[in-house]
Amino acid sequence: MVTGGARAVARCDALGVAPYSDMEGGLFRAWLTPAFAAAHQAVNGWMAEAGMAVRTDAATNLIGRYEGATPGAPALLIGSHIDSVNDAGRYDGPLGVMLGIECVAALNAAGKRLPFAIEVVAFGDEEGSRFPATLSSSSACAGIFRSENLQLADRNGVTLADAIRAYGKSPDDIPAAAYARDEAAAYVEVHIEQGPVLEARKQPLGVVTAIIGQTYLNVEFLGEAGHAGTVPMLLRRDALAGAAEAMLLGETLARETKGEVVATVGRIAVAPGATNVIPANVVAIFDIRSGSESARAKLVDTLKAGIRGIADRRHLGLTITSPREVATTPCDAQVQDRFADAVLALGAEPLRLGSGAGHDGQAMAKLCPIGMLFVRCRGGISHNPMEYANPQDLGLAVAALIGFIERFEPEKLG
Ligand code: GLV
Ligand code: MN
Ligand code: MN
């Protein structure tokens, strides 16, 4: 029996409740909140216990370093995020951090030092569930943080700059969080699959080939508020009815691609938001993803043109911006192969598959070669409190990650 999986599950479960959650009866841990601070403290302790020297960088990433045989050697970065979506599952993100800690704990217990250091990184913001930007903290590590994002505000009007200050860090120091190219040998992440493929193929682990590209469209319709009882239907400028039509258009266009593109609106804001007032202002955020850059671009263009038509016909004002645009990010071929070797050595099939979810590797790829290992999750369910991965599979994931580390030769990477 491979060890480590059960403790990783137990730790993810421990982080799923107060004080590590700001939500009553469920998990919600957004970046730089009290729950986030509590999680930092717990993870810091686990990293130190595993034999790492722990620091928090200027972008509030928690980083544990396990020195290699030669002090100061470049590091293999192993990480994931510890923020969550609202009403989240317990494994999306924290699991990758816990499994990294398990690997280091095992190496440390065996007194093993490698030709490279290992740094386990707990990123602060992958989900973008507090500020309207994602991958902020991994972008800082990769040296691609956009300083204009510091002015983004959360729902209470607190800017990211102020939240970082309140956390005891200075936004001015964020550039210093960037790794130098020669400090990072590669970045790898273990994550639950968040989809059904591994379960359907009866495989515990999968090697990720690429992380699919994504566009966010922030679509704002401006209509006119009015009395719900007195304004005749044909004289209305109802912003929500326009947004509803736009959402159905997005769904139809994505369905027509027969699986090549997916499009979702998971969040809308309606003002003034009263049952007896015609909606005057609606913001709908479209999340559009595809492994094909051209298919995604084509759908985005068609959708934007269609939305303009809807706004014209309904006499609505319209603003469309794209706060997030991430290209499909391939995983490094050598890293994939070493993961596949490690999985094969455990007697499992190294199934290769793409990731439909976004990951910190999309930012880290701007710094160094990246790779990911997926672990089967029950029913493929994620972004849902029902998320579950079994300890046995996670034990295998620890073994595969250790197998990868043993096979990793930084000098052979492109
Ligand atoms: C993050 O989980 C995303 O894919 O949006
Ligand atoms: Mn997620
Ligand atoms: Mn995740």
Side-chain angles (χ1 to χ4, degrees):
M1 170 67 189
V2 193
T3 57
R7 184 163 65 176
V9 171
R11 285 176 170 174
C12 290
D13 288 346
L15 292 179
V17 295
Y20 311 110
S21 168
D22 285 321
M23 176 186 166
E24 189 98 357
L27 171 60
F28 185 28
R29 186 170 51 246
W31 193 20
L32 304 173
T33 57
F36 179 82
H40 249 201
Q41 226 182 347
V43 178
N44 190 323
W46 296 331
M47 284 177 168
E49 187 190 306
M52 287 180 260
V54 189
R55 64 184 193 271
T56 303
D57 72 12
T60 80
N61 296 303
L62 188 65
I63 303 173
R65 181 173 173 96
Y66 182 68
E67 275 302 348
T70 316
L76 170 65
L77 310 181
I78 302 175
S80 195
H81 57 100
I82 57 166
D83 67 326
S84 82
V85 293
N86 199 354
D87 204 10
R90 295 174 169 185
Y91 307 97
D92 171 4
L95 185 70
V97 179
M98 299 313 135
L99 294 180
I101 293 173
E102 289 305 330
C103 284
V104 172
L107 292 168
N108 193 35
K112 191 159 181 180
R113 297 281 165 180
L114 301 149
F116 45 87
I118 293 178
E119 293 203 352
V120 177
V121 189
F123 295 115
D125 168 53
E126 189 264 3
E127 302 284 8
S129 41
R130 178 167 176 193
F131 300 96
T134 60
L135 306 178
S136 305
S137 38
S138 44
S139 293
C141 287
I144 54 166
F145 180 82
R146 292 157 62 162
S147 57
E148 62 270 27
N149 284 0
L150 288 166
Q151 298 321 314
L152 295 174
D154 68 8
R155 288 170 206 220
N156 296 317
V158 178
T159 64
L160 174 55
D162 283 343
I164 288 174
R165 273 186 214 104
Y167 207 73
K169 296 285 176 184
S170 166
D172 296 340
D173 293 340
I174 285 183
Y179 281 88
R181 176 63 196 90
D182 60 0
E183 289 172 334
Y187 170 77
V188 295
E189 174 166 353
V190 184
H191 204 287
I192 53 166
E193 181 201 341
Q194 304 182 276
V197 176
L198 292 173
E199 194 176 67
R201 298 283 295 269
K202 298 192 176 9
Q203 290 302 318
L205 303 172
V207 178
V208 179
T209 52
I211 308 169
I212 70 172
Q214 184 182 17
T215 301
Y216 270 11
L217 289 183
N218 203 317
V219 179
E220 180 166 13
F221 288 99
L222 271 174
E224 187 170 50
H227 197 293
T230 61
V231 184
M233 294 309 288
L234 292 180
L235 295 183
R236 295 179 178 207
R237 292 170 57 225
D238 182 332
L240 184 54
E245 211 181 311
M247 284 187 255
L248 290 177
L249 175 64
E251 185 187 50
T252 303
L253 292 174
R255 282 185 176 175
E256 283 169 358
T257 68
K258 305 223 178 320
E260 201 171 23
V261 186
V262 291
T264 309
V265 175
R267 186 167 155 190
I268 59 171
V270 182
T275 47
N276 57 354
V277 181
I278 297 163
N281 180 321
V282 172
V283 178
I285 301 175
F286 288 75
D287 176 326
I288 299 157
R289 307 190 193 203
S290 175
S292 155
E293 297 295 274
S294 59
R296 179 166 52 95
K298 185 170 161 219
L299 187 138
V300 167
D301 285 349
T302 313
L303 179 61
K304 278 163 107 176
I307 291 174
R308 279 188 213 104
I310 292 166
D312 282 350
R313 184 161 35 78
R314 290 176 168 272
H315 305 293
L316 298 169
L318 177 70
T319 316
I320 304 180
T321 55
S322 180
R324 177 166 160 76
E325 182 79 50
V326 186
T328 297
T329 306
C331 292
D332 181 84
Q334 297 270 355
V335 172
Q336 285 187 52
D337 288 348
R338 295 299 79 77
F339 266 132
D341 295 343
V343 170
L344 202 57
L346 292 168
E349 184 192 329
L351 199 84
R352 306 223 183 192
L353 72 175
S355 171
H359 295 288
D360 289 296
Q362 288 170 292
M364 297 304 281
K366 303 285 186 221
L367 172 75
C368 59
I370 67 145
M372 289 190 75
L373 183 71
F374 272 172
V375 188
R376 161 170 67 188
C377 60
R378 189 172 59 197
I381 296 171
S382 186
H383 282 190
N384 181 322
M386 297 293 291
E387 211 173 67
Y388 180 76
N390 79 54
Q392 188 119 14
D393 286 356
L394 297 174
L396 280 175
V398 174
L401 189 51
I402 292 177
F404 170 83
I405 291 167
E406 287 168 351
R407 290 169 173 81
F408 180 59
E409 295 174 293
E411 61 286 355
K412 294 220 173 131
L413 296 176

